Amino acid sequence: MVAIMGSSGSGKSTLLNILGLLDGFDSGEYLLAGESMDGLNERSAAKYRSRFLGFVFQSFNLVGFKTAMENVALPLYYQGVSRKERNKRALEFLDKVGLLDWAEHLPNQLSGGQKQRVAIARALVGKPKVILADEPTGALDSKTSYEVMGLLRELNNEGITMVVVTHEQDIAEMCDRIIRLHDGQIA
């Protein structure tokens, strides 16, 4: 469980986009599951994202007209999983984050902490090896932030690698390691 910290413009989001195979890189080497990620086309990058990565964002990125269950099931739709299996797995992961009773609610009926838990369930449903979390507690109060970080820690203890971008020192200190960036370099 790694925290990435740095001031605005230090390169945190760029690094996360590279790790998430959303942006390419100019130099160096990036290995994911022992494979070089250099020069991937979009189709190959999407395949690796689908197999290995889950994303959690500060703004939740939930689809407003879909229920919590439908939001969680969305990545499975793109993997070609049947509707019945998608819904079954979505409910399992909502249960895992403590929101099974909220499965039929729309995002506008959920608190910030509940929305972030739905986003975490959505990130987990594809069974990723790595979760990339960009300011996952940035829009939450401190009590809810600690609850969300506790959940991420539990998932990390189950074997999922966590990369957490944060501006908040107390959140970073909940991670095993802190990497500080300054002007695009590891300080």
Side-chain angles (χ1 to χ4, degrees):
M1 190 161 183
V2 178
I4 299 174
M5 295 190 78
S7 59
S8 292
S10 65
K12 299 181 306 293
S13 294
T14 299
L15 177 57
L16 210 62
N17 285 346
I18 291 169
L19 293 175
L21 303 173
L22 300 170
D23 289 339
F25 51 96
D26 299 324
S27 63
E29 186 176 30
Y30 173 17
L31 300 176
L32 179 61
E35 300 284 326
S36 175
M37 298 294 109
D38 190 23
L40 291 181
N41 62 33
E42 181 49 40
R43 186 184 193 103
S44 295
K47 186 178 94 178
Y48 279 104
R49 277 193 301 270
S50 172
R51 282 183 52 208
F52 293 103
L53 303 174
F55 297 87
V56 178
F57 302 97
Q58 176 179 349
S59 57
F60 319 124
N61 288 4
L62 300 178
V63 179
F65 60 86
K66 292 193 175 291
T67 65
M69 180 184 69
E70 291 167 334
N71 268 284
V72 172
L74 206 52
L76 300 175
Y77 171 83
Y78 294 109
Q79 292 178 8
V81 176
S82 73
R83 177 186 300 251
K84 183 177 178 183
E85 181 62 19
R86 285 194 311 262
N87 291 346
K88 178 178 167 271
R89 284 173 52 187
L91 291 173
E92 285 172 22
F93 282 92
L94 281 171
D95 192 26
K96 190 175 193 76
V97 300
L99 286 179
L100 185 58
D101 292 344
W102 296 84
E104 296 302 323
H105 288 73
L106 294 170
N108 67 1
Q109 298 170 312
L110 303 173
S111 70
Q114 289 170 322
K115 288 177 189 174
Q116 194 58 290
R117 286 174 178 269
V118 171
I120 291 168
R122 181 185 57 201
L124 290 171
V125 77
K127 300 188 177 166
K129 304 285 186 238
V130 180
I131 297 277
L132 302 173
D134 193 2
E135 298 281 359
T137 61
L140 306 174
D141 63 68
S142 58
K143 178 180 181 291
T144 307
S145 293
Y146 292 138
E147 290 171 1
V148 165
M149 286 303 293
L151 175 59
L152 293 178
R153 171 53 76 192
E154 285 175 36
L155 298 167
N156 174 248
N157 290 340
E158 292 175 14
I160 298 174
T161 298
M162 298 283 164
V163 179
V164 179
V165 168
T166 184
H167 283 98
E168 302 168 66
Q169 184 66 37
D170 58 334
I171 296 299
E173 288 172 1
M174 298 171 101
C175 297
D176 300 321
R177 181 175 172 203
I178 300 173
I179 296 172
R180 296 181 195 282
L181 296 182
H182 182 74
D183 293 336
Q185 301 291 317
I186 294 176

